[in-house]
Amino acid sequence: MREFTFDIVYETGSDPVMDVFIEHPTLVAKALYGCVTEDRFWRIERLIGPTAALDAVERLRLDETVRTASVTEADCSAMRYHDVLDRSNNERVIYTHVEDVEDGESVQTLAGRYLPHGSLYCTSRRENRHSWRIFMKSDENVGLLYDALGANLRAGLALRMGHLRDAEGWGHNSLGSVVLPPDQRTAMRAALDHGYYRTPREVTLDDLAGELDVPRSTLSYRLRRAEERLVSGYLGETG
């Protein structure tokens, strides 16, 4: 099995769904795609983040007038079916089935054209970046896919090459099922970004609390609770 990775980076205003991620930096989505044929695919997407951001993405997903799949200048015409499988204040799971794709090109339709049928697509979205990881039995035509993407991206989108190599593990474990409340997720994200978890630490708890404009004791509590949830989820315990 081979894997091919790349990112598509979006400018503000180039895609309504990605604009929600840009506006809400703590919003994260992970999705699993399967291409049935070149013009038919399904997706299960799990989003974690603030309720307002989740509501915004759900509205866009269910709005048939919004066209977001195409990465070229032409809009995709297709039959779409969406269903919200799980809904809470901090999480949404949305199923999508698309068929009879015409006109515009999505990553899925281009990949379905060049890559072997049965390839599996794992993606993540955060801020302005949509990251793709494709598992496939043969990489014979990967160069054609890359050239097609690079040559046809619409304005406001940029392609960033990752790697092409033998697949090294699935990269999924029980942490994928751990949901952190927004305040804990924000605290942990800031701690990670500012080097709190590096050795040696690059920021103190006091300085990090100042960055977030919260009391030191509040930040410490949120980090401890987030760490407890992550460890419990990794070990398969309830928390």
Side-chain angles (χ1 to χ4, degrees):
M1 183 72 76
R2 300 283 282 168
E3 70 174 28
F4 175 46
T5 67
F6 58 90
D7 294 345
I8 297 180
V9 182
Y10 291 75
E11 294 180 3
T12 299
S14 60
D15 183 276
V17 171
M18 292 304 299
D19 281 348
V20 180
F21 286 85
I22 295 171
E23 183 181 354
H24 299 272
T26 60
L27 177 64
V28 176
K30 294 186 180 295
L32 185 66
Y33 294 73
C35 285
V36 181
T37 62
E38 181 181 328
D39 66 346
R40 180 182 301 175
F41 68 89
W42 56 263
R43 173 184 63 220
I44 296 179
E45 186 173 39
R46 181 172 184 253
L47 302 105
I48 298 174
T51 302
L54 297 174
D55 289 343
V57 172
E58 182 178 334
R59 283 194 300 269
L60 290 168
R61 284 279 184 254
L62 300 180
D63 187 344
E64 287 295 325
T65 66
V66 175
R67 300 286 188 257
T68 65
S70 181
V71 293
T72 68
E73 292 294 347
D75 287 338
C76 279
S77 173
M79 295 291 295
R80 296 172 174 84
Y81 170 79
H82 302 282
D83 195 9
V84 180
L85 303 181
D86 196 6
R87 182 187 289 112
S88 69
N89 288 336
N90 304 323
E91 180 182 13
R92 299 291 155 84
V93 178
I94 303 176
Y95 170 80
T96 298
H97 182 269
V98 178
E99 61 183 10
D100 298 330
V101 179
E102 297 178 356
D103 301 324
E105 300 285 8
S106 66
V107 172
Q108 301 92 309
T109 57
L110 288 170
R113 181 179 306 164
Y114 296 112
L115 301 185
H117 288 170
S119 297
L120 189 63
Y121 308 79
C122 301
T123 76
S124 63
R125 299 182 195 240
R126 182 170 182 265
E127 297 181 348
N128 68 339
R129 194 171 294 263
H130 192 181
S131 301
W132 290 77
R133 187 184 187 198
I134 303 178
F135 295 87
M136 55 206 161
K137 62 184 179 182
S138 168
D139 62 14
E140 181 179 356
N141 293 322
V142 161
L144 296 176
L145 170 62
Y146 184 78
D147 290 345
L149 284 170
N152 295 292
L153 287 183
R154 54 188 165 86
L157 278 62
L159 182 64
R160 299 287 182 265
M161 178 66 173
H163 60 251
L164 174 64
R165 65 189 183 193
D166 288 339
E168 297 181 354
W170 172 242
H172 176 82
N173 56 39
S174 58
L175 284 178
S177 64
V178 178
V179 179
L180 297 177
D183 56 352
Q184 294 177 23
R185 187 175 188 86
T186 299
M188 182 154 279
R189 182 76 254 178
L192 182 64
D193 289 345
H194 286 81
Y196 182 76
Y197 290 111
R198 296 190 185 127
T199 304
R201 281 180 174 166
E202 299 178 0
V203 67
T204 67
L205 195 62
D206 289 312
D207 290 340
L208 190 59
E211 287 285 338
L212 294 174
D213 195 25
V214 297
R216 183 184 189 278
S217 59
T218 299
L219 176 60
S220 177
Y221 173 78
R222 290 175 180 174
L223 288 176
R224 289 199 312 272
R225 289 293 294 151
E227 291 160 4
E228 179 185 1
R229 283 174 177 260
L230 290 174
V231 171
S232 296
Y234 182 79
L235 296 177
E237 305 291 339
T238 59

